[in-house]
Amino acid sequence: MSDPIPFFDGHNDFLLRLMMSPDPREDTWLGTEHKGHLDLARMQQAGFAGGLFAIFVPPVSSGPPPDFKAMMANPPYDIPMPPLMTHDVAQSTALTMAGLMHWMERTAPAAFKVCRSADDIRTAIAKGTIAGVMHMEGAEAIGPDLDALYLFHDMGLRSLGPVWSRPTIFGHGVPMAFPGTPDIGPGLTETGKDLVRLCNELGILIDLSHMNEAGFNDVAAVSTAPLVATHSNAFAHSASPRNLTDRQLHQIRDTGGLVGLNFATFYLHPDGSPSPEMGWDTMIRHMDHLIEHLGEDHVGLGSDFDGCIIPNLIGDVTGVQPLLQAFADHGYDDALLSKLASANWLACLDRSLIGTSEHEQRQGPGNAEP
C-alpha cells in the first residue's frame, strides 16, 4: 500500500492527555513535542480521517492517582473499582475537555472539525479535514435529572458510554480484572434506562465498551439504536471482562451495530499481559474472530490511543498503516480493508446519529427495517 488508507478510529483519549499536558497546548496538539500516540501532524501523516474523541474524568484521589498500568502488570489481577463519582465533581473536568476539543478546531480550522452528524463527518473527510466526534467515556458529568445531556449534545456530544470501569448512577462497569467475566454486577438503573432513551431521542450513540453483561442486556432491551462497542475485543481470545462474548457479538451484529478492535495489550494477549511485545498474529486472531461472529460489515478500529499500552509494532497512530498491511498480507482484500478502515464506521454512524423522530421518518410507511 503506497498511499495511506484513510481510517476512522472508534476511540482515543487524546483530550485527557491534552488537558494534563505540562507543555503549551499547541505543542501537544500541533505535534511539536512528539509525545504520546496522537497529535495533528502524525494524524495527517497516518491517514487518520476521523474518530471519536473521549471525554474521560479520571478517578479522584486524595493521594497520587492510581497507576492502573502498574496494577495490571502481572496477571492475574483483580483491582477494586473506584467509587462512584457525582456529577458536581465530574462536570467541570468534562466541560474543560469539551472546550479543548473546540479549541482544537479553532486552532486548526482547515485541518480539524467537530462533527455533529454523519453528513458533517463525510463532508469533512471529503475535504481532507479530520472529523472529530465528541464522545463521553463514563456519564458521571450527566446528573440524575439528565438536563446536562442537552448541554453536552449542543456542544457536539454524539457518543456516550454510560459507565467506565466504575459504578455510576446509571449502571455498573466491569472491573479491571484478569481472568474475569463480563457477567458481574447489576444492570442499568432506572435512571440509566432513561438515559438510554434520551440518547436515542437525541441521536447519541450508546457505547457498550465498559458495560457489564447485565447492563449490556438492559441496553439491548431498551435501546432502539444499533448496539456498538467502540473499543473492545473477543473474550474467546482474551478472558478479560472488557471483552465481548460470542453471544454479545451476535446481538451487536443483529442490530446493525459495530465493534472497534481495541489495540490495548491487556485486552489482546491470551494471558492478559500488558507487554507491548507481540506479533501481528495476536491482533489478527481477534480480528478474524470478530469478522467470523459479526460479519465483515460490523467491525472497525477502536485504538484506545493515548489511553493504554499498545503493541510496539504499532507504536503510535503512524502504525495503523502497517497493521492494515498485515491484514492485507493475511489475505484481507481491498474491499474488506476499506470496510475495516472506515466504511463500516461511517455506515454505522449513518444509522446511529439520528434521533428517534428522524429514525421514524426515515422508515416511513412500509419502510420499516427488518
Side-chain angles (χ1 to χ4, degrees), residues 15 53 55 90-103 105 112-117 120 132-136 141-142 147-159 202 204:
L15 294 175
F53 286 71
I55 292 171
Q91 272 185 6
S92 61
T93 300
L95 287 169
T96 296
M97 297 174 78
L100 282 172
M101 191 167 175
H102 284 275
W103 171 85
E105 181 181 65
F112 182 83
K113 179 176 176 58
V114 178
C115 294
R116 291 172 166 80
S117 69
D120 281 355
V133 179
M134 188 182 296
H135 169 74
M136 187 174 285
I142 310 299
D147 288 348
L149 188 64
Y150 294 101
L151 173 63
F152 281 102
H153 180 264
D154 283 351
M155 288 187 284
L157 182 71
R158 292 298 183 272
S159 176
L202 296 175
I204 297 174

Side-chain angles (χ1 to χ4, degrees), residues 22 29 57 136 161 178 186 194 208 225 231 239 267 271 280:
W29 167 225
V57 181
M136 187 174 285
F178 192 93
D194 289 340
L208 298 163
H231 57 305
Y267 314 129
D271 64 356
W280 292 123

Side-chain angles (χ1 to χ4, degrees), residues 17-101:
R17 184 164 72 85
L18 182 60
M19 182 181 71
M20 299 181 70
S21 174
D23 299 317
R25 288 174 175 169
E26 289 85 353
D27 294 346
T28 303
W29 167 225
L30 299 178
T32 58
E33 72 174 10
H34 305 295
K35 295 179 181 178
H37 298 147
L38 293 173
D39 53 47
L40 178 58
R42 282 179 289 170
M43 284 191 278
Q44 291 174 320
Q45 174 190 348
F48 186 106
L52 273 61
F53 286 71
I55 292 171
F56 168 69
V57 181
V60 175
S61 174
S62 57
D67 187 345
F68 290 108
K69 293 176 182 178
M71 297 162 78
M72 299 164 73
N74 296 298
Y77 54 82
D78 189 358
I79 302 170
M81 287 200 290
L84 184 146
M85 181 185 296
T86 59
H87 69 282
D88 56 333
V89 173
Q91 272 185 6
S92 61
T93 300
L95 287 169
T96 296
M97 297 174 78
L100 282 172
M101 191 167 175

Side-chain angles (χ1 to χ4, degrees), residues 183-327:
D183 186 12
I184 182 172
L188 293 181
T189 64
E190 289 305 311
T191 305
K193 294 175 183 178
D194 289 340
L195 176 69
V196 170
R197 294 185 186 102
L198 184 54
C199 284
N200 284 171
E201 180 182 331
L202 296 175
I204 297 174
L205 179 153
I206 298 291
D207 180 21
L208 298 163
S209 292
H210 285 267
M211 192 78 70
N212 65 4
E213 190 165 30
F216 180 105
N217 294 340
D218 285 341
V219 173
V222 171
S223 179
T224 59
L227 298 176
V228 177
T230 63
H231 57 305
S232 293
N233 293 332
F235 184 83
H237 292 278
S238 181
S240 166
R242 273 282 284 107
N243 288 337
L244 297 163
T245 65
D246 290 351
R247 181 193 66 83
Q248 291 174 311
L249 297 178
H250 298 160
Q251 283 189 270
I252 291 170
R253 175 200 62 202
D254 292 345
T255 66
L258 185 140
V259 174
L261 178 75
N262 193 326
F263 298 177
T265 55
F266 303 110
Y267 314 129
L268 287 167
H269 280 296
D271 64 356
S273 165
S275 172
E277 298 297 332
M278 69 171 65
W280 292 123
D281 57 310
T282 302
M283 301 188 77
I284 288 170
R285 278 195 295 272
H286 279 271
M287 183 59 84
D288 279 347
H289 192 93
L290 294 177
I291 292 171
E292 177 186 355
H293 289 273
L294 288 159
E296 64 179 38
D297 294 330
H298 302 289
V299 187
L301 304 178
S303 68
D304 219 344
F305 281 141
D306 282 326
C308 278
I309 299 170
I310 64 172
N312 285 339
L313 282 171
I314 295 179
D316 62 16
V317 66
T318 61
V320 172
Q321 296 302 321
L323 172 63
L324 295 174
Q325 182 62 58
F327 289 156

Side-chain angles (χ1 to χ4, degrees), residues 311-364:
N312 285 339
L313 282 171
I314 295 179
D316 62 16
V317 66
T318 61
V320 172
Q321 296 302 321
L323 172 63
L324 295 174
Q325 182 62 58
F327 289 156
D329 294 341
H330 180 60
Y332 294 0
D333 62 21
D334 290 346
L336 179 53
L337 288 176
S338 177
K339 289 181 178 183
L340 299 179
S342 63
N344 286 347
W345 258 120
L346 296 181
C348 183
L349 293 170
D350 281 337
R351 297 187 292 269
S352 301
L353 300 189
I354 58 173
T356 302
S357 60
E358 186 180 353
H359 179 76
E360 292 170 349
Q361 290 171 8
R362 286 192 181 189
Q363 290 190 135

Side-chain angles (χ1 to χ4, degrees), residues 118-142:
D119 286 345
D120 281 355
I121 296 167
R122 293 183 184 277
T123 299
I125 292 174
K127 292 179 178 179
T129 300
I130 293 170
V133 179
M134 188 182 296
H135 169 74
M136 187 174 285
E137 185 175 29
E140 286 89 351
I142 310 299

